[in-house]
Amino acid sequence: MTTPRDLKKQLRSAALARRDALDAGWRAEVGQQLAAHAVAVAPAPGGVVSGFWPMRSEMDVRPLMSTLDARGARIALPAILDKTTIVFREYVPGAPMVDMGFGTMGPDEEAPVLDPDVMLVPLAAFDARGHRIGYGAGYYDRAIARLKAKGCAPRLIGIAFDCQEVEHVPDEEHDQPLSEILTETGLRRFDGA
């Protein structure tokens, strides 16, 4: 019998292979074009947006983060504290960055920890209901659950290419569904959100 975890592993592998096969130049162009969606994803002035430093063939959200910063948002990036925990530290262009592992960078421990109003969420695969498959470690699901337990209600926007959509992501109790997805074809809201 195939478990939800096994099925997620298979779906993750196939979706990442499709993403990896995309032309690198085209992926870079799409990353630049994401900045055009800044108005649609921006929080209130002074609000916090958590982005991420792209790894491997992920969508590059740095142009979008720069545009949001210019519009008055505070930007945060994930920082890995241990094997189960990430927090979101304030990112200021030019401030010291450190290797966070997995080929990604983040602000050093001197940067303040912020609670995001909007989270740009990396992912391996997603479905039309807003369920996502991450990279398997559960960092984002746990971070979102902790924020919700504190009374925060961040707007969760997945960042992916259309080719990462799958027919159905198996639901597990700990999964935190997305409210929206931003791909090369635009921003769309999920029905259940």
Side-chain angles (χ1 to χ4, degrees):
M1 180 172 153
T2 303
T3 67
R5 186 177 190 94
D6 291 337
L7 185 52
K8 281 184 176 181
K9 187 175 181 179
Q10 293 167 10
L11 291 169
R12 177 185 302 114
S13 179
L16 291 177
R18 291 190 302 273
R19 187 182 78 186
D20 290 346
L22 296 172
D23 177 76
W26 180 81
R27 285 195 318 257
E29 287 176 29
V30 170
Q32 292 293 326
Q33 293 165 7
L34 281 190
H37 296 280
V39 172
V41 303
V48 177
V49 176
S50 68
F52 54 91
W53 210 260
M55 61 182 188
R56 298 188 295 267
S57 60
E58 281 182 334
M59 179 91 69
D60 188 350
V61 296
R62 290 176 294 185
L64 175 57
M65 291 189 307
S66 293
T67 302
L68 290 166
D69 177 56
R71 294 180 55 83
R74 294 175 74 187
I75 305 298
L77 294 174
I80 298 171
L81 300 184
D82 56 43
K83 291 184 181 202
T84 63
T85 311
I86 59 172
V87 295
F88 300 93
R89 291 184 182 151
E90 187 164 23
Y91 168 68
V92 177
M97 297 282 280
V98 295
D99 184 350
M100 288 292 158
F102 306 104
T104 189
M105 302 291 287
D108 68 14
E109 61 277 351
E110 299 298 316
V113 173
L114 304 175
D115 291 335
D117 300 299
V118 175
M119 294 178 72
L120 305 178
V121 183
L123 54 90
F126 68 96
D127 67 17
R129 302 172 305 138
H131 290 258
R132 66 181 275 279
I133 298 174
Y135 295 106
Y139 284 114
Y140 272 85
D141 288 322
R142 284 189 297 275
I144 294 164
R146 275 193 308 278
L147 287 166
K148 288 180 176 179
K150 288 173 53 175
C152 300
R155 181 179 170 196
L156 305 176
I157 304 173
I159 302 292
F161 295 98
D162 285 332
C163 70
Q164 292 172 254
E165 186 168 2
V166 298
E167 186 175 331
H168 180 80
V169 169
D171 299 24
E172 293 187 86
E173 188 175 323
H174 65 271
D175 290 338
Q176 299 288 329
L178 303 167
S179 53
E180 296 156 275
I181 189 85
L182 180 57
T183 71
E184 70 271 20
T185 55
L187 182 67
R188 69 177 176 192
R189 189 163 178 76
F190 293 112
D191 292 338

